[in-house]
Amino acid sequence: MEPTTNLTYTVDASDRLVAVDAAFREFALANEWPEGAGSSVLGRELWSFFADPETRVLWQSLFARARAGSPVAVTIRCDAPEARRLFELRLSSSPRGDVTIESRTLSETARVRAEIWSRAVPRGTDPLRACSWCKRIRTGDGRWLEVEEAVEALGLLRGPSLPLVSHGICPDCDREVRRAAGLGTSGPG
Protein backbone atom coordinates (compact mmCIF):
# COMPACT_ATOMS: atom_id res chain seq x y z
CA MET A 1 0.00 0.00 0.00
CA GLU A 2 1.18 3.50 -0.78
CA PRO A 3 1.63 5.44 2.50
CA THR A 4 -1.30 7.74 3.13
CA THR A 5 -1.60 10.79 5.24
CA ASN A 6 -3.15 12.14 7.68
CA LEU A 7 -5.50 11.72 10.57
CA THR A 8 -5.42 14.65 12.90
CA TYR A 9 -6.92 15.14 16.32
CA THR A 10 -6.38 17.70 19.06
CA VAL A 11 -6.39 17.48 22.83
CA ASP A 12 -6.72 20.66 24.89
CA ALA A 13 -4.57 21.70 27.87
CA SER A 14 -6.98 19.79 30.16
CA ASP A 15 -6.38 16.62 28.11
CA ARG A 16 -9.86 16.59 26.59
CA LEU A 17 -10.35 15.59 22.98
CA VAL A 18 -11.55 18.78 21.30
CA ALA A 19 -11.18 18.18 17.56
CA VAL A 20 -11.01 15.30 15.11
CA ASP A 21 -10.81 15.68 11.37
CA ALA A 22 -12.88 13.96 8.68
CA ALA A 23 -10.10 11.40 8.09
CA PHE A 24 -10.23 10.44 11.80
CA ARG A 25 -13.99 9.90 11.57
CA GLU A 26 -13.65 7.84 8.37
CA PHE A 27 -10.90 5.75 9.99
CA ALA A 28 -13.07 5.10 13.05
CA LEU A 29 -15.94 3.86 10.87
CA ALA A 30 -13.67 1.68 8.75
CA ASN A 31 -12.26 0.11 11.91
CA GLU A 32 -15.52 -0.90 13.59
CA TRP A 33 -15.58 2.04 16.04
CA PRO A 34 -18.71 4.02 15.09
CA GLU A 35 -18.59 5.99 18.37
CA GLY A 36 -15.27 7.47 17.22
CA ALA A 37 -16.92 8.85 14.12
CA GLY A 38 -19.45 10.91 16.04
CA SER A 39 -19.26 13.84 18.40
CA SER A 40 -19.52 11.62 21.50
CA VAL A 41 -15.72 11.39 21.72
CA LEU A 42 -15.35 15.16 21.82
CA GLY A 43 -14.97 16.53 25.32
CA ARG A 44 -13.84 13.17 26.71
CA GLU A 45 -10.61 13.04 28.63
CA LEU A 46 -8.03 11.34 26.43
CA TRP A 47 -6.89 9.13 29.29
CA SER A 48 -10.35 7.54 29.51
CA PHE A 49 -9.41 5.61 26.37
CA PHE A 50 -6.43 3.96 28.16
CA ALA A 51 -7.23 1.14 30.59
CA ASP A 52 -3.60 0.25 31.27
CA PRO A 53 -1.79 2.54 33.75
CA GLU A 54 1.69 1.91 32.26
CA THR A 55 0.55 2.87 28.78
CA ARG A 56 -1.30 5.92 30.11
CA VAL A 57 1.83 7.10 31.96
CA LEU A 58 3.95 6.70 28.84
CA TRP A 59 1.46 8.71 26.74
CA GLN A 60 1.29 11.37 29.46
CA SER A 61 5.10 11.60 29.31
CA LEU A 62 4.96 12.02 25.53
CA PHE A 63 2.36 14.79 25.90
CA ALA A 64 4.43 16.52 28.60
CA ARG A 65 7.47 16.46 26.32
CA ALA A 66 5.47 17.97 23.46
CA ARG A 67 4.04 20.64 25.78
CA ALA A 68 7.56 21.47 26.94
CA GLY A 69 8.36 22.48 23.36
CA SER A 70 9.94 19.29 22.05
CA PRO A 71 7.88 17.86 19.20
CA VAL A 72 7.56 14.09 19.51
CA ALA A 73 7.54 11.50 16.71
CA VAL A 74 6.91 7.82 17.40
CA THR A 75 5.88 4.81 15.35
CA ILE A 76 3.05 2.54 16.42
CA ARG A 77 1.25 -0.45 14.97
CA CYS A 78 -2.46 0.07 14.44
CA ASP A 79 -3.67 -3.23 13.07
CA ALA A 80 -7.05 -4.09 11.63
CA PRO A 81 -8.45 -7.60 11.36
CA GLU A 82 -7.30 -7.81 7.71
CA ALA A 83 -4.13 -5.71 7.82
CA ARG A 84 -0.94 -4.90 9.66
CA ARG A 85 -0.41 -1.16 9.70
CA LEU A 86 2.50 0.96 10.86
CA PHE A 87 1.78 4.60 11.68
CA GLU A 88 3.97 7.54 12.51
CA LEU A 89 2.47 9.83 15.14
CA ARG A 90 3.70 13.39 15.51
CA LEU A 91 2.74 15.34 18.62
CA SER A 92 3.13 19.10 18.69
CA SER A 93 1.86 21.69 21.12
CA SER A 94 0.45 25.17 20.82
CA PRO A 95 1.29 28.00 23.26
CA ARG A 96 -2.09 27.31 24.94
CA GLY A 97 -1.01 23.74 25.77
CA ASP A 98 -3.18 22.02 23.17
CA VAL A 99 -1.51 18.97 21.64
CA THR A 100 -2.20 18.06 18.03
CA ILE A 101 -1.54 14.49 16.96
CA GLU A 102 -0.94 13.90 13.28
CA SER A 103 -0.98 10.28 12.20
CA ARG A 104 0.47 9.07 8.92
CA THR A 105 0.32 5.53 7.56
CA LEU A 106 3.86 4.35 6.82
CA SER A 107 2.91 0.87 5.63
CA GLU A 108 -0.03 -1.47 5.37
CA THR A 109 0.18 -5.18 4.62
CA ALA A 110 -2.79 -7.45 4.00
CA ARG A 111 -3.09 -10.64 6.05
CA VAL A 112 -5.53 -13.43 6.71
CA ARG A 113 -8.28 -11.98 8.90
CA ALA A 114 -7.30 -12.02 12.59
CA GLU A 115 -10.61 -12.02 14.45
CA ILE A 116 -8.84 -11.11 17.67
CA TRP A 117 -8.70 -7.48 16.41
CA SER A 118 -12.36 -7.34 15.37
CA ARG A 119 -14.64 -5.28 17.61
CA ALA A 120 -17.64 -7.15 16.19
CA VAL A 121 -16.67 -10.58 17.59
CA PRO A 122 -18.29 -11.73 20.86
CA ARG A 123 -15.87 -11.70 23.81
CA GLY A 124 -15.56 -13.73 26.95
CA THR A 125 -14.32 -12.33 30.24
CA ASP A 126 -10.82 -13.82 30.20
CA PRO A 127 -8.30 -11.04 29.53
CA LEU A 128 -5.63 -11.24 26.86
CA ARG A 129 -2.77 -8.76 27.08
CA ALA A 130 -1.67 -7.11 23.82
CA CYS A 131 1.04 -4.51 23.38
CA SER A 132 -0.58 -1.28 22.24
CA TRP A 133 2.56 -0.38 20.25
CA CYS A 134 3.61 -3.57 18.41
CA LYS A 135 0.36 -5.60 18.75
CA ARG A 136 2.16 -8.69 19.99
CA ILE A 137 0.25 -10.86 22.48
CA ARG A 138 1.61 -11.90 25.87
CA THR A 139 1.56 -15.60 26.66
CA GLY A 140 1.22 -17.12 30.11
CA ASP A 141 4.97 -17.73 30.25
CA GLY A 142 5.79 -14.06 29.57
CA ARG A 143 6.67 -14.28 25.87
CA TRP A 144 5.29 -11.69 23.44
CA LEU A 145 4.20 -13.27 20.13
CA GLU A 146 2.76 -11.99 16.87
CA VAL A 147 -0.99 -12.51 16.82
CA GLU A 148 -0.94 -15.50 14.48
CA GLU A 149 1.62 -17.29 16.66
CA ALA A 150 -0.28 -16.40 19.83
CA VAL A 151 -3.60 -17.65 18.43
CA GLU A 152 -1.95 -21.02 17.79
CA ALA A 153 0.14 -21.19 20.99
CA LEU A 154 -2.76 -20.17 23.25
CA GLY A 155 -5.51 -22.02 21.36
CA LEU A 156 -7.54 -18.83 21.13
CA LEU A 157 -9.90 -20.10 18.43
CA ARG A 158 -10.79 -23.32 20.27
CA GLY A 159 -13.07 -21.75 22.89
CA PRO A 160 -16.68 -20.58 22.59
CA SER A 161 -15.58 -16.94 22.45
CA LEU A 162 -12.43 -14.90 22.06
CA PRO A 163 -10.80 -13.34 25.12
CA LEU A 164 -11.23 -9.70 26.01
CA VAL A 165 -8.19 -7.84 24.66
CA SER A 166 -6.50 -5.57 27.17
CA HIS A 167 -3.82 -3.25 25.83
CA GLY A 168 -0.62 -2.53 27.68
CA ILE A 169 2.98 -2.21 26.56
CA CYS A 170 5.68 -4.84 26.22
CA PRO A 171 9.13 -4.15 27.71
CA ASP A 172 10.79 -3.91 24.26
CA CYS A 173 8.36 -1.24 23.04
CA ASP A 174 8.49 0.67 26.32
CA ARG A 175 12.29 0.94 26.02
CA GLU A 176 12.18 1.84 22.32
CA VAL A 177 9.45 4.50 22.61
CA ARG A 178 11.20 6.10 25.58
CA ARG A 179 14.52 6.08 23.70
CA ALA A 180 13.01 7.50 20.49
CA ALA A 181 11.16 10.25 22.36
CA GLY A 182 14.13 11.15 24.58
CA LEU A 183 12.35 10.13 27.78
CA GLY A 184 15.10 8.05 29.34
CA THR A 185 14.62 4.51 30.59
CA SER A 186 12.55 4.93 33.75
CA GLY A 187 9.51 3.03 32.59
CA PRO A 188 7.82 -0.20 33.59
CA GLY A 189 9.04 -3.64 33.04
Side-chain angles (χ1 to χ4, degrees), residues 59-105:
W59 275 104
Q60 288 168 336
S61 298
L62 295 172
F63 271 65
R65 185 157 176 84
R67 286 183 172 129
S70 297
V72 174
V74 294
T75 56
I76 187 169
R77 285 257 305 264
C78 186
D79 288 3
E82 298 90 4
R84 283 188 175 85
R85 295 184 295 225
L86 185 64
F87 283 2
E88 176 186 60
L89 302 181
R90 292 190 172 274
L91 287 69
S92 58
S93 184
S94 74
R96 293 185 319 258
D98 294 354
V99 174
T100 297
I101 301 94
E102 295 176 307
S103 175
R104 181 172 66 105
T105 306

Side-chain angles (χ1 to χ4, degrees), residues 94-171:
S94 74
R96 293 185 319 258
D98 294 354
V99 174
T100 297
I101 301 94
E102 295 176 307
S103 175
R104 181 172 66 105
T105 306
L106 299 176
S107 65
E108 184 169 324
T109 311
R111 68 162 168 219
V112 174
R113 184 170 174 85
E115 292 294 340
I116 198 75
W117 301 131
S118 175
R119 292 174 155 263
V121 173
R123 302 291 170 164
T125 56
D126 294 333
L128 180 70
R129 183 96 161 161
C131 178
S132 57
W133 293 87
C134 69
K135 299 304 180 239
R136 291 182 298 164
I137 305 287
R138 185 169 187 209
T139 64
D141 61 5
R143 294 178 298 148
W144 291 86
L145 303 175
E146 285 293 334
V147 68
E148 294 83 0
E149 294 172 275
V151 164
E152 184 63 31
L154 299 172
L156 297 178
L157 299 179
R158 290 192 281 258
S161 61
L162 287 172
L164 185 63
V165 177
S166 168
H167 286 87
I169 188 164
C170 72

